[in-house]
Amino acid sequence: KEKKKAREGCSLPGSSWEERLANVVTPLWRLPYQEQLQVKYENQRKVLQTLASHLEELGIDAQQLGGLCCPLRPVVPSPVVSGYRNKSTFSVNKGPDGNPKTVGLYVGTGRAGNIVCVKADHMENIPPKHKQVAQCYEEFIRRSPLDPCILFHEGGHWRELVVRTTSRGHTMAIVTFHPQELGQEALATQKALLKEFFTCGPGAVCALTSLYFQESTMTRCSHKQSPFQLLHGEPHIFEEVLGLKFRISPDAFFQVNTGGAEVLYQAVRELSQADGDTILLDICCGTGEQWLCEPGSHDWCFIIGIEVVEKAIEDASWNAAFNGISNCEFHSGKAEAVLPQLLLSWEDARPLVAVVNPSRAGLHYRVVRAIRNCKSIRRLLYISCKPEGEAMRNFLELCCPPDPGKKLAGEPFVPTLAVPFDMFPHTVHCELVLLFIR
């Protein structure tokens, strides 16, 4: 209830704006870490109970001990509990004092019209470097004569800030800017001022490895729609995962908790049971670190990666080549377009293991259908950051009896094991790995 009130901007007795923000973004921040893990474990129990109930409605006897559809292991803790995020997105809007050029995170909702942007200085999950860059960006836009772009139809220019960091000490900042009616000369002036501020001015204290600028007229804009413009520094930052080096582009997906990702990747490899005779199909592969970073990956299963972000595929190919890994290939494009064509003419006799790690929106139906109808896939690992959401629909499509009307002709999968990983301490979120076999 406190979280709902804080999100809506209602008054919480005795709470400051900082506490309200913490209650929205990191609602478990007051609990000792072991208690946080227990809360998350109970949440995952409910997910598996719900899945079992839905499967029963489809005529599948799925309930086991405790009403779960499969065994549930304890939540695997994060190696780092505070300041673990390697990527943070900061908004620009009016602050509690009414200043429209405040850089922080939202309390309130657009529907209620009561959004307030609160500085993230006190947030447990955001590292100091991210907070420092956000503070400097706020100082810069407050010096600027240009207005912030809060609502597109009302004009304004300065928008959100994304900060990415790595354990190697690299820092990338990406500033999103609405060009409105500005000409190329005026845009060039703003880019020059931004670069000067972060290289020679007060922002130089951030020691940015990369400074990017993106002109965007949409809420979210890909590199293909509007290229990221490098104003200063290196085009990429680099991370080290399990001893290997990985290149990261501005919009490439990389697990937000690097230490937690190492634990997750090691466990996923064990659950995949992949060996030298296996082909590993990695759907939504990002920069490829999930498999390329595994010790011994140079000489075990062949890896096929699919990713919608073109720059991430370029990173994955570079990462493989740089680390001397040749037993892999990567395909750029939407999974619903690439995967069905890839599997349609599948004739390889080797075992095929599929791993999917989609966004909260889950997998497109055509992807589920292609996996379901490919007889070679006997083992599937579904990694979900929101299993109670759209992923639940995917689970049911994978497990339901054959349905000619939906073109689900293949043998159904069966959930056999669930392993939650805490990639997001202080929040209610958990990364759930569900193992399906048939």
Side-chain angles (χ1 to χ4, degrees):
K1 289 181 180 178
E2 280 194 352
K3 180 181 177 183
K4 183 178 180 182
K5 288 180 180 178
R7 187 177 298 280
E8 294 174 350
C10 298
S11 175
L12 291 175
S15 68
S16 63
W17 282 107
E18 289 75 15
E19 288 174 312
R20 297 183 200 186
L21 177 60
N23 290 337
V24 171
V25 181
T26 53
L28 303 183
W29 67 280
R30 286 187 173 92
L31 295 180
Y33 188 53
Q34 288 303 314
E35 290 185 29
Q36 293 186 29
L37 295 178
Q38 187 58 37
V39 169
K40 298 188 181 196
Y41 179 80
E42 293 303 324
N43 289 343
Q44 302 312 305
R45 277 184 56 85
K46 292 176 183 176
V47 169
L48 298 186
Q49 287 172 341
T50 300
L51 178 55
S53 177
H54 288 327
L55 292 175
E56 291 280 341
E57 293 171 3
L58 295 174
I60 302 170
D61 184 13
Q63 291 204 21
Q64 299 184 18
L65 185 65
L68 308 184
C69 63
C70 64
L72 173 64
R73 290 183 182 173
V75 180
V76 179
S78 172
V80 180
V81 176
S82 296
Y84 57 84
R85 292 191 64 92
N86 56 40
K87 179 182 179 182
S88 299
T89 301
F90 300 95
S91 300
V92 177
N93 212 307
K94 67 176 182 179
D97 62 355
N99 192 318
K101 291 183 175 181
T102 300
V103 177
L105 307 177
Y106 283 157
V107 172
T109 63
R111 178 177 297 179
N114 59 357
I115 287 178
V116 177
C117 197
V118 182
K119 294 183 182 182
D121 297 345
H122 61 292
M123 296 300 295
E124 285 281 347
N125 59 342
I126 298 178
K129 174 60 75 172
H130 294 202
K131 298 171 184 177
Q132 181 187 50
V133 179
Q135 179 60 44
C136 286
Y137 180 55
E138 181 179 275
E139 181 179 346
F140 171 78
I141 64 174
R142 287 187 175 185
R143 293 184 177 195
S144 171
L146 298 184
D147 293 330
C149 179
I150 295 175
L151 295 174
F152 286 7
H153 65 276
E154 292 183 358
H157 301 278
W158 299 112
R159 292 184 53 214
E160 70 180 25
L161 166 75
V162 175
V163 184
R164 305 187 75 154
T165 51
T166 71
S167 61
R168 298 170 64 91
H170 297 172
T171 303
M172 176 186 289
I174 308 159
V175 170
T176 307
F177 183 91
H178 197 308
Q180 302 292 355
E181 304 302 323
L182 291 182
Q184 288 304 309
E185 185 176 344
L187 282 169
T189 297
Q190 295 307 313
K191 288 185 278 189
L193 290 171
L194 183 66
K195 176 182 177 180
E196 180 182 16
F197 180 87
F198 276 102
T199 56
C200 308
V205 68
C206 299
L208 296 181
T209 308
S210 311
L211 174 61
Y212 275 97
F213 183 88
Q214 186 186 40
E215 301 165 29
S216 173
T217 59
M218 295 177 282
T219 303
R220 286 288 182 270
C221 197
S222 68
H223 174 80
K224 191 173 183 179
Q225 294 166 321
S226 180
F228 291 92
Q229 303 169 46
L230 181 64
L231 301 186
H232 165 72
E234 302 298 324
H236 307 95
I237 55 176
F238 294 87
E239 183 57 282
E240 194 168 290
V241 182
L242 295 174
L244 297 186
K245 185 177 180 181
F246 289 87
R247 189 179 86 175
I248 303 172
S249 293
D251 59 344
F253 173 78
F254 200 91
Q255 286 286 357
V256 75
N257 181 338
T258 305
E262 291 185 317
V263 177
L264 172 66
Y265 297 157
Q266 289 174 313
V268 167
R269 179 183 176 178
E270 292 172 5
L271 292 171
S272 74
Q273 295 187 358
D275 54 29
D277 294 326
T278 304
I279 293 179
L280 198 290
L281 183 60
D282 188 2
I283 304 168
C284 314
C285 68
T287 56
E289 74 278 1
Q290 180 162 269
W291 298 102
L292 300 182
C293 68
E294 292 294 351
S297 60
H298 304 65
D299 53 14
W300 61 295
C301 69
F302 190 82
I303 304 159
I304 301 175
I306 300 173
E307 170 60 45
V308 67
V309 179
E310 188 175 343
K311 285 293 182 180
I313 286 296
E314 292 179 13
D315 288 344
S317 299
W318 185 93
N319 294 334
F322 181 85
N323 290 293
I325 301 173
S326 59
N327 56 330
C328 56
E329 63 183 49
F330 297 98
H331 300 264
S332 174
K334 293 182 177 180
E336 59 267 28
V338 176
L339 185 63
Q341 292 299 317
L342 188 65
L343 296 180
L344 191 61
S345 57
W346 193 263
E347 296 180 353
D348 200 302
R350 287 178 291 176
L352 184 60
V353 176
V355 177
V356 298
N357 188 3
S359 67
R360 293 186 179 187
L363 293 173
H364 192 283
Y365 176 70
R366 291 205 297 269
V367 176
V368 177
R369 188 172 65 191
I371 293 172
R372 176 73 185 260
N373 294 343
C374 180
K375 296 180 180 179
S376 299
I377 300 177
R378 311 300 299 175
R379 196 174 188 88
L380 167 68
L381 283 163
Y382 194 120
I383 307 171
S384 175
C385 59
K386 193 177 181 181
E388 71 278 11
E390 288 300 305
M392 185 66 68
R393 170 180 52 83
N394 292 160
F395 302 157
L396 297 176
E397 292 165 347
L398 290 166
C399 299
C400 70
D403 187 339
K406 294 183 177 180
K407 298 182 180 180
L408 296 173
E411 179 187 350
F413 285 88
V414 177
T416 59
L417 181 65
V419 187
F421 292 80
D422 185 20
M423 303 288 283
F424 318 99
H426 309 298
T427 77
V428 295
H429 302 297
C430 210
E431 201 91 359
L432 182 66
V433 178
L434 258 177
L435 172 62
F436 294 91
I437 63 171
R438 61 178 178 179

